[in-house]
Amino acid sequence: AAGKRRGARCRGAPRTAETAQRLKRSRRLKANNRERNRMHNLNAALDALRDVLPTFPEDAKLTKIETLRFAHNYIWALTETLRLA
């Protein structure tokens, strides 16, 4: 409801330095895990994009930025082909 802060701590005993350190470490580990999952998802999406882009030779793996640029140019070329047809 109004006036409540997100993440406000419990009204129990005050935190000790050790408890604060444990909480800080726990939050950092969770943040690291979220970032790791985010990067895994991004890399999986880029791999899926690479699978549908025509590349020569077939075994050439494009970098992330090359994949995005290639996809942009490929979509533009397909759009132009449709527009001119």
Side-chain angles (χ1 to χ4, degrees):
K4 285 192 177 184
R5 291 185 315 179
R6 183 175 158 186
R9 63 179 154 143
C10 300
R11 300 215 189 274
R15 289 188 192 148
T16 64
E18 182 181 332
T19 305
Q21 285 292 73
R22 247 187 274 130
L23 182 60
K24 191 174 182 179
R25 177 170 167 73
S26 172
R27 286 180 179 158
R28 176 57 17 217
L29 290 173
K30 287 178 184 178
N32 289 348
N33 200 27
R34 282 192 306 271
E35 178 64 10
R36 189 175 307 107
N37 287 334
R38 187 186 73 81
M39 288 306 300
H40 283 307
N41 290 335
L42 177 61
N43 289 331
L46 285 166
D47 285 337
L49 183 56
R50 284 184 194 105
D51 287 342
V52 298
L53 293 174
T55 56
F56 301 101
E58 291 292 325
D59 59 346
K61 183 179 177 186
L62 301 172
T63 65
K64 291 175 184 178
I65 191 67
E66 288 171 342
T67 301
L68 293 174
R69 286 182 178 145
F70 190 133
H72 176 268
N73 292 335
Y74 185 58
I75 292 167
W76 176 84
L78 292 174
T79 302
E80 283 298 299
T81 303
L82 288 174
R83 187 179 67 78
L84 295 174

